[in-house]
Amino acid sequence: MNLGVIKPLVWGGLHGLGVNALARGLTRRAARIVTYHGVDADAHPVVNADRLQVPPAVFSAQLDSLARQYRVISLRALVDGLQGRAELPSRALAITFDDGYRNNLEQAAPVLRAKGLPATFFVTTSYVSGAAEPWWYRLREAVSALPGPQWAQPGQPPRPLGSDADRARTALEWEAAARVELATEQDVIVRQLEEAGGGRKPLRYPLLTADEVRALAGQGFEVQAHGDRHLSHALEDDAAVKAEIRSSVELVRAWTGRAPWVYAYPYGHVPRSPAVLEVLRDAGLQAAVGVETGLNRAGGDVWRLNRFDLSGGWQGSALE
């Protein structure tokens, strides 16, 4: 069974036994940060195989569950509480989004506003400017268009493509292998697959434009930096990573008129070099979030804050 299916079943069962309620009582002074990516009704079986694009009804239900169980506050208030600059409410939780999909403005923001919930949106600036696109969605689109019933990448055995489930498994496996490559190699892999599948396809989940970023900020949401081209800060060389940070921070400042104060590492990859952390500080940033699952406690490292990654397969009870 798929891990994304097992998790909600396990957590749902534990929740019914009262285990989650006990855990929440023991961790009420810890702070939680959750992250989404997109909210979209298009649940394509291959392109959205990991369910990072959450159906609107599921998103709304998850928010209701979070609001019942936790005190939803802004990310800034949460970090201020962790650093002792303000009182941290019991069972505090902050909501974040990564990458900068257009549906963040069109689908997620109206639901959040209707429920009176704050959120922070981390945008990848070259996605917003149109200079780059998420390579993983390009790869999945390409795999969904490959001729079947099987296909082989150079030097690899053939993979089945006879069904949507086969294509989803193949796409996610090829994506996982490419994720540890440098960005230049990722681009080569994706271009080869696109050529084999009949050419590059339009993005199924478009990104925000600069005007839409301004609109999101104008609605009172925080818009913060998530890299420029979504380069891995652990794999790419220091010079590229430093340029990535500076460009991302400057563009978000230019678009919103506000200096970014918190950063989201692309892929959650924490930089290897202390010199990169100095660039974050020099850019005026005060904290950074990754994708490691876990709670955050006062006195912890604010440059590697933990987050719970919520997708269409997660339940709000699974945050202990």
Side-chain angles (χ1 to χ4, degrees):
M1 184 180 288
N2 184 286
L3 184 59
V5 175
I6 293 174
K7 283 181 177 178
L9 292 177
V10 171
W11 281 113
L14 293 177
H15 182 61
L17 293 173
V19 173
N20 279 37
L22 174 62
R24 287 195 300 274
L26 296 174
T27 59
R28 67 177 67 249
R29 300 309 304 174
R32 296 158 179 82
I33 305 171
V34 300
T35 185
Y36 287 95
H37 289 77
V39 177
D40 204 293
D42 184 356
H44 192 277
V46 179
V47 184
N48 195 38
D50 53 6
R51 294 188 283 186
L52 286 184
Q53 302 293 328
V54 181
V58 173
F59 177 64
S60 180
Q62 287 181 340
L63 291 184
D64 288 342
S65 178
L66 293 174
R68 283 194 303 269
Q69 298 179 63
Y70 302 99
R71 173 76 179 277
V72 180
I73 62 176
S74 70
L75 183 58
R76 184 183 286 274
L78 185 146
V79 173
D80 283 347
L82 290 175
Q83 294 186 307
R85 293 192 293 268
E87 183 177 356
L88 184 66
S90 176
R91 300 166 55 69
L93 179 143
I95 298 169
T96 67
F97 285 76
D98 282 3
D99 298 341
Y101 298 97
R102 183 173 297 159
N103 57 40
N104 292 178
L105 175 66
E106 295 177 343
Q107 298 288 336
V111 178
L112 288 161
R113 291 180 66 193
K115 297 178 186 296
L117 299 176
T120 298
F121 293 84
F122 291 101
V123 299
T124 303
T125 48
S126 274
Y127 293 172
V128 174
S129 69
E133 292 179 334
W135 64 268
W136 55 92
Y137 278 141
R138 288 176 53 201
L139 182 148
R140 297 179 199 178
E141 287 282 7
V143 172
S144 70
L146 287 174
Q150 63 181 19
W151 189 266
Q153 286 185 299
Q156 295 186 19
R159 293 303 314 273
L161 300 175
S163 67
D164 285 339
D166 288 338
R167 289 176 186 268
R169 281 191 294 269
T170 295
L172 292 178
E173 288 178 14
W174 284 349
E175 179 184 328
R179 197 171 290 269
V180 298
E181 301 287 348
L182 296 178
T184 51
E185 181 60 25
Q186 290 170 347
D187 188 60
V188 170
I189 293 169
V190 171
R191 286 178 183 275
Q192 289 174 342
L193 289 171
E194 287 174 336
E195 290 174 6
R200 189 165 179 167
K201 306 295 187 293
L203 278 184
R204 188 172 300 272
Y205 306 113
L207 285 304
L208 294 162
T209 65
D211 285 343
E212 289 166 340
V213 166
R214 281 188 281 270
L216 197 56
Q219 293 182 14
F221 295 107
E222 283 201 322
V223 177
Q224 300 293 320
H226 186 38
D228 182 50
R229 292 176 291 156
H230 209 281
L231 299 183
S232 168
H233 289 13
L235 298 176
E236 303 286 345
D237 65 75
D238 280 2
V241 173
K242 290 176 181 179
E244 176 96 347
I245 294 167
R246 294 188 183 106
S247 177
S248 179
V249 169
E250 286 303 315
L251 283 170
V252 170
R253 179 187 288 112
W255 292 332
T256 67
R258 305 168 192 168
W261 68 274
V262 61
Y263 191 78
Y265 301 119
Y267 309 110
H269 292 175
V270 178
R272 296 167 300 176
S273 168
V276 173
L277 290 178
E278 287 303 314
V279 172
L280 290 169
R281 294 187 181 94
D282 291 345
L285 298 163
Q286 303 168 29
V289 298
V291 294
E292 289 295 321
T293 299
L295 304 172
N296 298 288
R297 302 179 188 277
D301 187 354
V302 295
W303 294 104
R304 50 194 315 156
L305 294 168
N306 298 317
R307 292 190 290 176
F308 292 88
D309 198 349
L310 297 191
S311 69
W314 278 84
Q315 296 178 351
S317 60
L319 299 178
E320 308 310 329

